[in-house]
Amino acid sequence: MTKTLLKLALVSGLVMLAGCAQRPATSLQEAWLTPEPLQVPYRNELAIARLSEILQRAELTEEQSAQLFYDRGVMYDSVGLRSLARLDFMRALRLKPDMPDAYNFLGIHYTLSGNFDQAYEAFDSALELAPNYDFAYLNRGIAFYYAGRFDLAEPDFQQFYQAKPTDPYRVLWRYIGFAELAPEAAQAALKLQLASLDPADWATNLVRFYAGDISEQALLQSILVELTGPKLLAERLCEAYFYLAKWHQARGNLPQALVYYHKTLATNVYEFVEHRYARLEMARMRGEELADDDVEIN
């Protein structure tokens, strides 16, 4: 009975907030929009334990071991244990050097630590093995972007976008990369691409905001519409705060950008691209050197 009442209260609260879309933000709405860190799912912890036990005790072929190291690396990555994840991806590739997914993850980790040349090599290896691996294009584009090589980043973002032009996130990343070279043309293209997006998809609101069709407050209020639980709320907050931070940062409003990057990280949605790069953005804003977490294969 108590759980039912709590669920009803949650739904009622969200409906009330969604109905107040034209009003100024209230303290209640601000409370809902304050990130609550997601807890590590029990199944992820259990999966790590089981994979570790199999790797230690079972008689496995090199290919089987490589797959299990990769699977455990993905689990480590999903809970924020990135040094352990990187170590497992390297172990997997040592045993089976033809795993494009492992190269893709390894490239992401090299990007996060500022090892851009190694990141390019990893993504190039992934694309040699799987030429249509669109997320390798995204991640290589991001590596070029953070290295300041915008002329090389834009074609990769374009390739990623063309694989699925109805995806709002692909539209955003193409805009982010293109805007560094030609901001007015990037804005014009964004407005055209918006017409092909599903208006019922919540993420389309992110593109609407960048296109100037809705306000920042309207974007934040849209987060609370048709929620199904705390996980979806955390995911939307992670995405919205990252792209709001990027928007403010591009306009020189660095204090507000920093606040939004902090909120992105507070969600603990470790596997999202927005969470991955929020800390990198903050380090760059502060003029800090990126952490070069060198790991060795045992």
Side-chain angles (χ1 to χ4, degrees):
M1 182 65 178
T2 302
K3 290 184 178 179
T4 302
L5 291 173
L6 286 173
K7 289 181 180 178
L8 288 173
L10 172 63
V11 172
S12 299
L14 294 178
V15 169
M16 179 181 69
L17 290 172
C20 298
Q22 303 304 317
R23 301 179 188 174
T26 64
S27 58
L28 179 57
Q29 179 181 337
E30 290 172 358
W32 280 110
L33 293 174
T34 300
E36 179 179 347
L38 282 181
Q39 293 184 337
V40 175
Y42 170 74
R43 64 180 179 276
N44 289 31
E45 296 185 58
L46 188 60
I48 291 171
R50 286 177 173 170
L51 288 167
S52 298
E53 185 175 4
I54 294 170
L55 282 164
Q56 289 174 358
R57 299 187 179 184
E59 294 184 5
L60 304 168
T61 65
E62 287 192 350
E63 185 169 352
Q64 289 171 329
S65 294
Q67 186 62 51
L68 290 174
F69 276 127
Y70 169 78
D71 291 341
R72 190 175 66 174
V74 172
M75 288 291 103
Y76 279 141
D77 187 81
S78 73
V79 299
L81 298 174
R82 291 193 172 140
S83 292
L84 293 175
R86 181 171 162 185
L87 182 62
D88 271 358
F89 295 138
M90 293 172 71
R91 285 169 170 162
L93 288 170
R94 183 181 65 175
L95 295 170
K96 191 174 186 292
D98 60 347
M99 300 181 72
D101 289 329
Y103 280 116
N104 182 56
F105 268 107
L106 199 56
I108 291 171
H109 286 234
Y110 282 135
T111 301
L112 291 170
S113 60
N115 294 323
F116 296 117
D117 288 338
Q118 290 175 286
Y120 308 147
E121 291 178 7
F123 294 129
D124 288 348
S125 296
L127 289 167
E128 285 177 11
L129 292 166
N132 295 322
Y133 193 174
D134 51 348
F135 281 96
Y137 283 108
L138 168 66
N139 292 317
R140 189 175 66 178
I142 290 173
F144 284 135
Y145 173 83
Y146 283 118
R149 303 177 69 177
F150 305 122
D151 57 326
L152 297 177
E154 197 277 330
D156 274 354
F157 289 139
Q158 176 69 14
Q159 182 76 24
F160 180 62
Y161 162 74
Q162 287 179 331
K164 190 178 180 183
T166 57
D167 181 352
Y169 303 102
R170 296 174 191 246
V171 172
L172 278 175
W173 277 105
R174 185 190 181 280
Y175 169 81
I176 289 170
F178 193 19
E180 295 290 344
L181 298 171
E184 292 183 3
Q187 186 71 17
L190 184 78
K191 288 179 177 292
L192 288 175
Q193 292 156 358
L194 176 59
S196 66
L197 303 182
D198 181 359
D201 185 342
W202 174 80
T204 299
N205 291 318
L206 298 169
V207 183
R208 288 193 185 108
F209 170 73
Y210 268 72
D213 288 1
I214 63 173
S215 68
E216 183 172 340
Q217 187 58 38
L219 173 60
L220 290 171
Q221 289 169 344
S222 75
I223 294 171
L224 303 173
V225 177
E226 297 182 355
L227 284 176
T228 57
K231 185 175 185 293
L232 180 59
L233 175 59
E235 291 173 350
R236 286 184 178 181
L237 290 173
C238 179
E239 294 168 344
Y241 284 135
F242 178 83
Y243 294 112
L244 282 170
K246 291 289 292 178
W247 188 86
H248 280 282
Q249 187 178 3
R251 285 153 184 79
N253 190 0
L254 302 186
Q256 186 59 58
L258 196 59
V259 168
Y260 281 146
Y261 284 133
H262 273 291
K263 289 187 174 183
T264 302
L265 290 174
T267 62
N268 278 7
V269 187
Y270 295 107
E271 66 268 35
F272 273 26
V273 65
E274 296 82 7
H275 190 281
R276 292 183 193 280
Y277 294 107
R279 192 178 301 280
L280 177 59
E281 291 279 6
M282 290 172 59
R284 289 161 61 88
M285 288 175 64
R286 293 167 172 166
E288 299 171 355
E289 291 189 11
L290 302 179
D292 184 6
D293 300 324
D294 196 14
V295 294
E296 297 181 359
I297 305 177
N298 295 327

